[in-house]
Amino acid sequence: MRAVCVIGLGLIGGSVLRAASAAGRPAWGATASRPDADAARAEGFAVEDSAEDALRRAAAEDALVVVATPLTAVREVLRQVAWHAPEAWLTDVVSVKDPVEAEVRSLLPGAKYAGGHPMAGLAESGWRAGSAELFSGASWAVTIEDGTTAPAWREAAALAVDCGARVVPCSAAEHDSAVARVSHLPHVFAAVLAAVGADGGPLALSLAAGSFRDGTRVAGSAPDLVRAMTEGNRVALLDAVDDALGRLGAARGSLASTGSLKSTVDAGHEARRALEAAPEPRSLRVRLDEKGALDRLRDVGARGGRVVALDEDAATVEVP
Amino acid sequence: MRAVCVIGLGLIGGSVLRAASAAGRPAWGATASRPDADAARAEGFAVEDSAEDALRRAAAEDALVVVATPLTAVREVLRQVAWHAPEAWLTDVVSVKDPVEAEVRSLLPGAKYAGGHPMAGLAESGWRAGSAELFSGASWAVTIEDGTTAPAWREAAALAVDCGARVVPCSAAEHDSAVARVSHLPHVFAAVLAAVGADGGPLALSLAAGSFRDGTRVAGSAPDLVRAMTEGNRVALLDAVDDALGRLGAARGSLASTGSLKSTVDAGHEARRALEAAPEPRSLRVRLDEKGALDRLRDVGARGGRVVALDEDAATVEVP
């Protein structure tokens, strides 16, 4: 099994290191955070003294390098990769994909790269918040661009599968647009809802029940992480916010003019039912060594399908 | 203990009948729904053949009448109360308070009435969805208007306490404004968020994780119940939606112009922390037989306080 070198050992990177080790892979990491490094070493994980050391080892062992730093540190890490391990297999777990793709194209034009994003928790951060099971059953996007090769995609996807996740194949732009709607807008909504509730004073908060608690839960996440994630996906998030403003404005207009929220409530109910009532999936195999394999996988992702297993030659996918 | 007569045996009314019985009160009900009546009788509860029969018994036994029908049926029930039990103690459990107050003033000007609203679940409906424990630890608003008397308020509040709830004293208008923010707007937000997510297609829904599931959960509630609740509180809900549109528009403007969501994220985080980190409450007693007792109780509610126990002469309140 291919070795894994994780740069950044916070919640996500630390969980990747644990899960890859648990899957039987040789794995090591590096982090700029002394507390994260100490905590990881105390649990028996290999943490190199610097990212340079970790990347030189990756080059020597032909490892898969996983960039697991905040978006703001990605460029610096990629420069180090270009210097110490330019031939390494490469992926990342950053929550936005187009900006990372652009950096990789610019700094590592010949990289064996496919971007990744596991859809896993955010409320806590740091090594100690992670676990080998964090990705179990979760969706994990692995991106396919014009320049992506099947071997590079397969390496990134195999890591996700080994971590217990289901792989959603999609382009970087498709990913960023989708998570703006289902991950970043929910954080904006939670923040706005919490503030509107607080505007009602102590009485309103003492009358708050399940609907308000559910709707504001992720407003409890660390503000710096929420900002990094949402502000890093600005263009796609603006589209999602505009869609939301349009729908909320239409609800307001209808309530004011006719007193009805029928369109709003019915559309929301139908959408939520679609989320709950996922149909029994069909299972298919997609050969990875055939021409057009990655296009077929992107089509699987666009239809809501996921890769649930990988072997040398083929991906097993489930399509609704 | 004063007997209880519950008109309407759906989720809330049925749970009131069970909880009042469990507290040792004589209790009976009536409902226009044959399935609810059959189910309640099968569990050994007393269900009269008609609302008229139930109300005549209430008059004979000086019971507390609880109106637990949808808002649209309240006027008809109050007409029956005016005819068969005009002297009865009276409360209701309808989710909006100003319209019910107005009907009571018009149809039962001399009523011994205080309005009520338990902040309890909505996702399912009907007798079978209820339980004696539904209100355990929940907030239950009991309204105080200019014409409210301490004995009438005490009777309505005592039912809430006997059902295991904590009583939030407030005016009808304060209640309607507060629940617009912490109950009705969350339903509108959940519907809008679910629809914006679904607009992203199957790929977006397959990448949806905890933040989207939390934020859209109540969009799974029965649409007719959500519409009755939200549309019934139109004026206050419009204010809350306008506040939300303003905050969402400000977030959009800031993200587009400066790339920052700092104000939005920080305000939401602070509001959510206020909800989670309720300070250790102080316990006080408010005598009910003194002049100004109800004004003091309204002040307790406005400060986020609740009544946790009642005896003949006084309320025990907890204030943050």
Side-chain angles (χ1 to χ4, degrees):
Chain A
M1 300 178 84
R2 187 172 306 281
V4 175
C5 165
V6 185
I7 307 298
L9 297 176
L11 170 67
I12 302 295
S15 297
V16 169
L17 183 60
R18 292 178 179 95
S21 299
R25 295 199 189 210
W28 61 92
T31 172
S33 158
R34 184 61 178 269
D36 284 348
D38 290 347
R41 287 192 181 115
E43 291 178 39
F45 291 93
V47 181
E48 301 291 335
D49 286 336
S50 68
E52 289 82 351
D53 288 353
L55 292 170
R56 277 192 289 266
R57 185 173 165 191
E61 301 189 26
D62 196 25
L64 171 66
V65 174
V66 183
V67 181
T69 63
L71 177 61
T72 47
V74 164
R75 183 177 304 182
E76 177 57 24
V77 173
L78 291 179
R79 284 207 181 99
Q80 295 173 319
V81 173
W83 191 256
H84 298 289
E87 304 291 312
W89 303 92
L90 184 64
T91 188
D92 72 284
V93 290
V94 177
S95 66
V96 61
K97 299 270 60 72
D98 241 359
V100 179
E101 289 279 350
E103 296 285 5
V104 172
R105 272 195 299 270
S106 150
L107 296 168
L108 285 152
K112 297 181 287 188
Y113 170 77
H117 180 209
M119 306 306 297
L122 181 92
E124 293 175 274
S125 57
W127 169 275
R128 288 184 195 284
S131 80
E133 293 75 38
L134 184 66
F135 312 112
S136 178
S139 291
W140 185 319
V142 179
T143 56
I144 298 168
E145 299 287 284
D146 285 346
T148 307
T149 66
W153 190 87
R154 195 197 163 283
E155 288 295 335
L159 175 67
V161 170
D162 282 355
C163 289
R166 286 144 187 267
V167 175
V168 177
C170 55
S171 75
E174 285 168 343
H175 166 277
D176 291 354
S177 170
V179 297
R181 289 169 186 274
V182 298
S183 174
H184 303 166
L185 184 64
H187 279 85
V188 174
F189 260 42
V192 168
L193 186 60
V196 173
D199 287 349
L203 173 67
L205 294 184
S206 80
L207 288 174
S211 61
F212 188 72
R213 291 184 184 276
D214 283 348
T216 61
R217 183 159 297 127
V218 294
S221 306
D224 55 338
L225 295 182
V226 174
R227 288 185 58 197
M229 183 178 76
T230 51
E231 294 169 2
N233 196 19
R234 175 176 171 176
V235 175
L237 180 53
L238 282 170
D239 271 354
V241 170
D242 285 342
D243 193 350
L245 279 167
R247 286 184 173 275
L248 192 57
R252 199 250 179 247
S254 177
L255 184 63
S257 62
T258 69
S260 172
L261 285 172
K262 179 171 169 48
S263 303
T264 299
V265 171
D266 286 354
H269 188 67
E270 194 176 324
R272 173 72 194 183
R273 281 173 55 97
L275 185 71
E276 287 167 358
E280 194 67 27
R282 285 182 307 130
S283 193
L284 301 171
R285 277 172 68 82
V286 177
R287 290 198 60 91
L288 294 172
D289 51 1
E290 288 179 355
K291 191 167 149 58
L294 294 183
D295 288 342
R296 277 194 290 282
L297 285 170
R298 264 188 60 182
D299 183 54
V300 162
R303 285 151 62 200
R306 300 173 217 205
V307 177
V308 296
L310 275 170
D311 56 33
E312 276 307 312
D313 305 321
T316 305
V317 304
E318 287 185 351
V319 185
Chain B
M1 300 178 82
R2 188 172 305 283
V4 174
C5 166
V6 185
I7 308 298
L9 296 175
L11 169 66
I12 302 294
S15 297
V16 169
L17 183 60
R18 292 177 179 97
S21 298
R25 295 198 189 212
W28 62 91
T31 172
S33 158
R34 186 60 180 269
D36 284 347
D38 289 347
R41 286 191 181 117
E43 291 177 38
F45 290 94
V47 180
E48 302 290 335
D49 286 336
S50 68
E52 290 82 350
D53 288 352
L55 291 170
R56 277 192 289 266
R57 185 173 164 191
E61 302 191 26
D62 196 24
L64 172 66
V65 173
V66 183
V67 181
T69 62
L71 177 60
T72 45
V74 164
R75 183 178 303 182
E76 177 57 25
V77 172
L78 291 178
R79 284 208 180 98
Q80 294 173 318
V81 173
W83 190 255
H84 298 288
E87 304 290 313
W89 302 93
L90 183 65
T91 188
D92 72 285
V93 290
V94 177
S95 66
V96 63
K97 298 270 61 72
D98 241 359
V100 179
E101 289 280 351
E103 295 286 3
V104 171
R105 272 196 299 271
S106 150
L107 296 168
L108 285 152
K112 297 180 288 189
Y113 169 77
H117 179 209
M119 306 306 296
L122 181 91
E124 293 174 273
S125 58
W127 169 274
R128 289 183 194 282
S131 79
E133 293 75 38
L134 184 67
F135 311 112
S136 179
S139 292
W140 184 320
V142 179
T143 55
I144 298 170
E145 298 287 284
D146 285 347
T148 308
T149 65
W153 189 86
R154 195 196 163 287
E155 288 296 335
L159 174 69
V161 170
D162 283 354
C163 289
R166 285 144 188 266
V167 175
V168 176
C170 56
S171 76
E174 286 168 342
H175 166 276
D176 290 354
S177 170
V179 298
R181 289 170 186 273
V182 297
S183 175
H184 303 165
L185 183 65
H187 279 86
V188 174
F189 259 41
V192 168
L193 186 59
V196 173
D199 286 348
L203 173 65
L205 293 184
S206 80
L207 288 174
S211 61
F212 189 72
R213 291 183 184 276
D214 283 348
T216 61
R217 183 159 297 125
V218 294
S221 306
D224 55 338
L225 295 182
V226 173
R227 287 185 58 196
M229 183 177 75
T230 52
E231 294 169 1
N233 195 19
R234 175 177 172 177
V235 175
L237 180 53
L238 281 170
D239 270 354
V241 170
D242 285 343
D243 192 350
L245 278 166
R247 285 184 173 274
L248 192 59
R252 199 250 180 246
S254 176
L255 184 63
S257 61
T258 70
S260 171
L261 286 172
K262 179 172 170 48
S263 303
T264 301
V265 171
D266 286 353
H269 189 67
E270 192 177 324
R272 174 71 194 184
R273 280 172 56 95
L275 186 70
E276 286 167 358
E280 193 67 27
R282 284 182 308 128
S283 193
L284 301 171
R285 277 173 69 81
V286 177
R287 290 198 60 90
L288 294 172
D289 51 1
E290 289 178 356
K291 192 166 146 56
L294 294 183
D295 288 342
R296 276 194 290 283
L297 285 170
R298 264 188 61 181
D299 183 54
V300 162
R303 287 151 62 200
R306 299 172 216 206
V307 177
V308 295
L310 275 170
D311 55 34
E312 275 307 311
D313 304 322
T316 305
V317 304
E318 288 185 350
V319 185

